Amino acid sequence: MDLSLNTRTQGQFQVIEVGGEVDVYTAPKLRDSIVTAVDDGHNRLVIDVEKVDFLDSTGLGVLVGSLKRVRAEGGSLDIVCTHERILKIFAITGLDKVFGLHTTVDAAIAAHN
């Protein structure tokens, strides 16, 4: 399966909708999308993984690296996810305490207002 990425602006937030599989082959594409958003001046990001079927350690690494980058710019990176199998990955790795995990894009944005 391939990776799909759709980016949009919602208020002061850049929302990146991710679909498919995020693995060693596709994670660089996600990283490039996030880097482009930050380089374009967006440091408040919401990554929507509702359509992600698979997420491996490489994908997690991209998210952690991206979080460090936006925090260095004074920004934020939140994750939208309701799928138990993906949430379990965040819990097992302890990243559920690092990222803001939300059920909707609106909830992720509201957490900063």
Side-chain angles (χ1 to χ4, degrees), residues 50-62:
E50 280 297 282
K51 296 178 182 170
V52 168
D53 300 316
F54 178 80
L55 178 68
D56 74 1
S57 59
T58 309
L60 287 176
V62 166

Side-chain angles (χ1 to χ4, degrees), residues 55-57 59-65 67-68 71 77 79 86-101:
L55 178 68
D56 74 1
S57 59
L60 287 176
V62 166
L63 294 175
V64 170
L67 177 63
K68 289 179 181 178
R71 282 189 176 164
L77 187 152
I79 308 287
I86 303 290
L87 290 170
K88 188 174 182 180
I89 294 168
F90 283 98
I92 289 170
T93 58
L95 292 174
D96 59 336
K97 294 170 180 58
V98 175
F99 288 101
L101 297 173

Side-chain angles (χ1 to χ4, degrees), residues 28-78:
K29 201 169 154 185
L30 174 59
R31 181 178 48 249
D32 291 346
S33 180
I34 294 170
V35 167
T36 297
V38 174
D39 286 349
D40 288 346
H42 302 284
N43 66 353
R44 300 181 87 184
L45 305 179
V46 176
I47 310 298
D48 184 347
V49 297
E50 280 297 282
K51 296 178 182 170
V52 168
D53 300 316
F54 178 80
L55 178 68
D56 74 1
S57 59
T58 309
L60 287 176
V62 166
L63 294 175
V64 170
S66 299
L67 177 63
K68 289 179 181 178
R69 182 173 178 148
V70 297
R71 282 189 176 164
E73 300 283 331
S76 63
L77 187 152
D78 292 86

